[in-house]
């Protein structure tokens, strides 16, 4: 129980469900769009939280959500860009300033957050069951892990969550350009989800925060595969 309690430090009053939680990162390629560095198919991140077998996989700390291991050397520059951007957004969200402007106390607070254990384990073994999918869209200027506590909570209650980092069409800027770029990324993620054995693709929810909520509603009108849409601020 003490070990479980330690992983819930960021959860507040939320209670975990019956499932352990796994986390994995997949890098997809979109052949229609080209990455500005090498003109190869555009890379798209799929960050996945899912119900998992107990005590499998490696323990994670919050900083692990921000540190993405590339699946191949050709993605190294893209991954480094994305990690720098994500870290900067997290710091700005917390302190309303850049990392270079943090005080010693703020730096210590940030370091404590980064070293906090989270309620997910890297590459934990999935359960043999199938689970509903929640396809998440972050807000404008947001990040793929912006609601990681919610993702862990939902995965512990039997959902698979796929989040991504919306970038401009060629992935040159790791921030958010919105519009058709988001729709194409969601298409790619939905197709990828259909290949994952533990996802029940007949039970899909679109969920998003702020501009991500708008994207979810827009995507729901383009494709009727979702059973529900959740939009929140």
């Amino acid at each position: 129980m003490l070990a479980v309690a330690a992983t819930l430090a960021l959860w507040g009053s939320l209670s975990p469900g019956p499932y352990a939680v796994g986390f994995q990162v997949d890098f997809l390629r979109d052949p229609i769009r080209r990455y500005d560095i090498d003109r190869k198919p555009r890379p798209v991140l799929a960050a996945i939280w899912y119900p998992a077998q107990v005590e499998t996989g490696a323990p994670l700390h919050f900083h692990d959500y921000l540190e993405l291991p590339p699946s191949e050397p050709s993605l190294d520059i893209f991954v480094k860009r994305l990690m720098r951007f994500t870290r900067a957004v997290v710091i700005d969200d917390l302190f309303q300033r850049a990392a270079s402007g943090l005080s010693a106390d703020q730096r210590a607070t940030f370091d404590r957050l980064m070293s906090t254990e989270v309620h997910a384990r890297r590459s934990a073994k999935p359960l043999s069951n199938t689970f509903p999918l929640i396809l998440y869209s972050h807000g404008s200027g947001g990040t793929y892990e912006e609601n990681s506590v919610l993702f862990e909570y939902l995965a512990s209650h039997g959902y698979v969550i796929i989040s991504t980092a919306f970038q401009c069409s060629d992935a040159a800027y790791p921030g958010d350009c919105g519009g058709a770029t988001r729709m194409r990324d969601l298409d790619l993620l939905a197709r990828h989800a259909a290949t994952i054995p533990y996802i029940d693709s007949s039970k899909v929810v679109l969920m998003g925060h702020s501009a991500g909520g708008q994207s979810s509603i827009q995507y729901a009108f383009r494709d009727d595969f979702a059973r529900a849409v959740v939009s929140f601020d």
Side-chain angles (χ1 to χ4, degrees):
M1 290 298 294
L2 289 177
V4 172
T7 69
L8 301 176
L10 301 175
W11 277 41
S13 60
L14 293 174
S15 298
Y19 302 107
V21 178
F23 174 73
Q24 73 179 60
V25 170
D26 295 338
F27 290 99
L28 316 179
R29 291 281 197 170
D30 184 352
I32 297 176
R33 293 169 289 172
R34 299 289 165 175
Y35 186 34
D36 71 308
I37 293 294
D38 54 16
R39 307 314 300 168
K40 290 183 178 179
R42 163 189 167 86
V44 175
L45 170 75
I48 308 173
W49 287 259
Y50 56 92
Q53 296 185 22
V54 176
E55 296 300 319
T56 61
L60 291 171
H61 297 80
F62 194 86
H63 70 83
D64 291 307
Y65 283 152
L66 310 186
E67 297 170 3
L68 303 171
S71 59
E72 55 184 87
S74 65
L75 289 172
D76 187 57
I77 294 176
F78 167 74
V79 169
K80 287 179 178 177
R81 277 182 174 180
L82 183 56
M83 289 194 300
R84 283 196 301 268
F85 175 82
T86 303
R87 184 180 180 88
V89 170
V90 171
I91 290 174
D92 186 69
D93 283 348
L94 289 171
F95 305 107
Q96 289 75 58
R97 64 188 64 191
S100 59
L102 295 182
S103 67
D105 285 347
Q106 289 170 331
R107 174 66 63 183
T109 297
F110 181 73
D111 289 344
R112 284 197 299 273
L113 171 63
M114 293 298 103
S115 63
T116 300
E117 190 172 0
V118 299
H119 195 65
R121 297 173 74 91
R122 186 183 298 281
S123 301
K125 189 173 182 179
L127 294 170
S128 57
N129 316 48
T130 59
F131 299 93
L133 169 66
I134 298 175
L135 195 55
Y136 180 81
S137 297
H138 64 66
S140 179
T143 58
Y144 56 88
E145 46 57 62
E146 66 181 15
N147 271 304
S148 58
V149 169
L150 176 61
F151 301 158
E152 293 169 4
Y153 173 79
L154 291 170
S156 79
H157 284 274
Y159 294 88
V160 179
I161 300 87
I162 298 182
S163 181
T164 192
F166 293 115
Q167 310 118 46
C168 289
S169 59
D170 62 359
Y173 171 60
D176 177 27
C177 289
T181 299
R182 282 183 176 239
M183 298 299 104
R184 288 185 177 180
D185 284 355
L186 289 170
D187 277 338
L188 193 66
L189 293 166
R191 292 197 299 271
H192 180 60
T195 70
I196 298 176
Y198 53 83
I199 289 179
D200 183 348
S201 294
S202 70
K203 298 176 181 177
V204 178
V205 174
L206 299 171
M207 182 171 72
H209 167 240
S210 190
Q214 298 175 30
S215 297
S216 296
I217 294 170
Q218 183 181 357
Y219 192 67
F221 279 106
R222 291 178 72 252
D223 196 310
D224 61 0
F225 82 109
R227 290 195 175 189
V229 178
V230 179
S231 176
F232 55 90
D233 284 319

